[in-house]
Amino acid sequence: MGDSTVWTLAIAAVTGGTAVLASWVTSRGSTQAAKIQAETAARSQRAERLRESRRTAYLDLIEQTHRIGELYWEISAELRESASSTRTARLDALLDREIAEYAKIRRCARVVELEGPPSAAAAALALQKATGPFYEALRAGLADGADGQEVFNAAYNPFWRALENFVDSARDAHQTD
């Protein structure tokens, strides 16, 4: 074999080796790019699912708050009525409804606590606790026959303010998701 044949074989070997190495590097790069793309897509899907579940939890709590608010208006109207034996029975029935609605608002607040973030969870808990004065005023009025209308009506401003605070916290949390 002549000098040129060795030289040709050496160039062919280097070219072949370079091609194999380039193929391997390209393959590794493609695999890494596909892995990164898959991880990014999965992370994006998780974030979107979390965002939607939080939004649903926030809306459920707001809707339940409005339901219990309507019940409070009903109770206020009943408290304005003159005292009678049927009034006590109607207030007892309204108290039972209030307890049932409170259970729903408590469940909604717990779901918000679960979904987070902490700022929205704290606002949901404050909103849940803002229902307490209504219950206490109604129970006190039924227990001792006192007219709890002023105390009951005084609870509206803190209740609606707690709802506004929750909506603000939920909006902030939802926009930063």
Side-chain angles (χ1 to χ4, degrees):
M1 273 206 224
D3 224 10
S4 68
T5 306
V6 172
W7 188 249
T8 305
L9 287 174
I11 291 176
V14 169
T15 304
T18 303
V20 169
L21 182 63
S23 174
W24 179 78
V25 168
T26 302
S27 172
R28 295 264 307 166
S30 295
T31 302
Q32 189 67 16
K35 182 179 175 185
I36 290 170
Q37 185 177 13
E39 288 172 355
T40 302
R43 198 171 24 254
S44 176
Q45 287 175 348
R46 277 192 303 273
E48 187 57 32
R49 279 193 306 268
L50 176 63
R51 181 177 163 80
E52 283 305 310
S53 66
R54 283 180 175 176
R55 184 176 189 274
T56 300
Y58 300 159
L59 291 174
D60 287 347
L61 180 57
I62 292 167
E63 182 180 343
Q64 185 57 39
T65 301
H66 283 280
R67 271 196 215 114
I68 204 166
E70 290 171 9
L71 177 61
Y72 291 153
W73 287 113
E74 229 179 292
I75 294 169
S76 285
E78 192 62 42
L79 288 172
R80 283 192 296 273
E81 296 290 318
S82 60
S84 70
S85 61
T86 59
R87 176 181 176 228
T88 301
R90 289 190 309 257
L91 286 176
D92 276 335
L94 288 170
L95 178 62
D96 290 343
R97 282 181 52 204
E98 180 185 13
I99 291 168
E101 292 299 318
Y102 174 78
K104 293 174 188 174
I105 205 168
R106 185 181 69 221
R107 186 195 70 73
C108 290
R110 293 290 184 236
V111 172
V112 171
E113 279 186 291
L114 175 67
E115 293 295 331
S119 60
L125 183 60
L127 177 57
Q128 175 191 336
K129 288 183 178 184
T131 63
F134 292 107
Y135 175 78
E136 294 300 325
L138 185 54
R139 289 288 296 184
L142 284 169
D144 60 18
D147 183 15
Q149 184 177 0
E150 291 84 24
V151 175
F152 192 89
N153 290 338
Y156 279 109
N157 283 337
F159 175 72
W160 292 120
R161 194 171 323 110
L163 175 59
E164 289 172 9
N165 290 340
F166 171 73
V167 169
D168 289 343
S169 293
R171 182 185 320 106
D172 291 345
H174 195 63
Q175 289 174 351
T176 58
D177 284 343

